[in-house]
Amino acid sequence: MAGGRDHGGDLTGAIKRFGGAPGDWIDLSTGINRVPYPAPPASASALRDLPGRAAMDRLTGAARGAYGTGWPLLPLAGAQAAIQLLPVIAPEGPVRVLGPTYNEYAGAFEAVGRAVETVSDSGALAGAGLAVIVNPNNPDGRRLSPEALVRIAGTVGVLVVDESFADPHPALSLLPGACPGNVLVLRSFGKFYGLAGLRLGFVLGPEPLIAPMASRAGPWAVSGPALEAGALALADAGWREASRARLMAETARADALAEAAGWRPLGGTALFRLYDTCDAGAAQARLGRARIWSRIFPYSATWLRLGLPGSEAEWVRLEAALSA
């Protein structure tokens, strides 16, 4: 658990409470695609050699093609690495985050002594030195249009837009448009491509904001295996489109199962769903006894977030757990 903050994805606590071995569990506590890109094993050279310019150029070219953008781009070891670097470029003034959302933003700034205000309305971001919007949002899937984001950018010093869950929702992305002078966009590779262990992500924006982050990240911010697998996956438009279509269809299936169990859908994305369960702790325990792990939140007694199963066998187990 990074920095002591609450996250999904760690089965240790689930096993301690409910038993079993890691292989017994279906981990739906994250928004990571459980049908990953079929990347081949890393080549000997990717494992052996220091990452080189040619491999970096292949990755950045594939990323620009996948995201439909010409913005300056910095590959990093996951979107989390970009979050950790944001204090380097934050101007004076309040730091405001549109919440509730991913808790690492507040943590990154608080770690360097910057106070963070969490606001529930985008209009309250105005006047911030640096403002953060996750779009679509984690965990409720709140969405803002690119046009709305550009308007908000005009009211703050620097706007950070986290598009970690935008791959299935390309119309929400700022990246195909012009690059504003005060906007950074973060993209996660591991979530949509289901390869979170590679630790790959990107920050895109104007050079004056990217350059200090690149300097702090150092010359080898991304591993050779991540450069290699990322370039392959991001260049595979057929896999990307098929995965978008599958995920969009499966959100309806997940919502139908949840409603049949008496839960109310509250939103989400094509990678995870959010439900009002009346009692989130009891709902998590119900799934936990079936060795299915989910995510609940310290700020809500009723919200439960559920990723999407990755196989028909996993769907059958989820349905059985919800109907028990």
Side-chain angles (χ1 to χ4, degrees):
M1 188 176 294
R5 289 179 284 275
D6 180 51
H7 295 283
D10 186 351
L11 287 175
T12 303
I15 292 170
K16 185 175 181 179
R17 286 179 62 190
F18 300 104
D24 300 330
W25 283 80
I26 303 171
D27 187 2
L28 303 184
S29 69
T30 75
I32 297 168
N33 187 353
R34 287 184 63 82
V35 184
Y37 182 77
S43 68
S45 62
L47 291 168
R48 181 189 62 229
D49 300 336
L50 283 173
R53 174 50 54 190
M56 182 68 77
D57 288 345
R58 283 193 293 272
L59 175 70
T60 56
R64 286 197 174 96
Y67 302 146
T69 190
W71 291 28
L73 178 153
L74 173 66
L76 292 166
Q80 182 63 43
I83 294 172
Q84 299 301 127
L85 291 170
L86 289 176
V88 173
I89 55 88
E92 295 297 320
V95 177
R96 294 182 180 142
V97 177
L98 185 60
T101 195
Y102 186 52
N103 60 26
E104 287 294 332
Y105 283 100
F109 283 96
E110 289 166 353
V112 297
R114 295 286 296 268
V116 177
E117 304 171 27
T118 298
V119 301
S120 58
D121 182 85
S122 61
L125 297 170
L130 183 141
V132 176
I133 298 174
V134 180
N135 192 56
N137 190 46
N138 170 20
D140 61 1
R142 178 194 60 228
R143 292 158 166 77
L144 292 172
S145 70
E147 295 77 16
L149 293 169
V150 170
R151 289 195 295 271
I152 293 167
T155 71
V156 302
V158 173
L159 176 64
V160 177
V161 181
D162 185 333
E163 296 186 354
S164 287
F165 292 101
D167 290 79
H169 310 281
L172 293 178
S173 178
L174 281 169
L175 296 177
C179 181
N182 68 331
V183 174
L184 288 175
V185 170
L186 276 55
R187 295 295 292 239
S188 167
F189 170 81
K191 292 180 176 65
F192 178 69
Y193 289 92
L195 299 171
L198 279 177
R199 305 312 306 141
L200 177 62
F202 304 91
V203 59
L204 301 97
E207 286 288 355
L209 293 178
I210 293 283
M213 300 176 75
S215 177
R216 185 66 64 91
W220 299 293
V222 179
S223 72
L227 291 172
E228 188 173 78
L232 284 173
L234 288 161
D236 194 334
W239 186 91
R240 183 166 59 249
E241 293 305 319
S243 295
R244 283 173 178 163
R246 176 185 58 80
L247 289 165
M248 295 298 289
E250 288 180 348
T251 59
R253 184 176 184 180
D255 287 353
L257 291 179
E259 288 183 289
W263 299 353
R264 182 167 63 92
L266 297 177
T269 73
L271 287 165
F272 62 82
R273 311 304 294 160
L274 183 69
Y275 302 109
D276 186 328
T277 66
C278 296
D279 184 335
Q284 186 181 57
R286 177 182 181 182
L287 293 173
R289 288 188 290 271
R291 306 288 195 269
I292 298 171
W293 197 224
S294 57
R295 176 76 193 279
I296 61 176
F297 302 91
Y299 51 78
S300 173
T302 65
W303 285 11
L304 180 142
R305 193 188 69 189
L306 206 61
L308 300 180
S311 67
E312 187 58 31
E314 291 187 359
W315 279 103
V316 169
R317 280 183 58 184
L318 177 61
E319 182 172 10
L322 289 175
S323 61

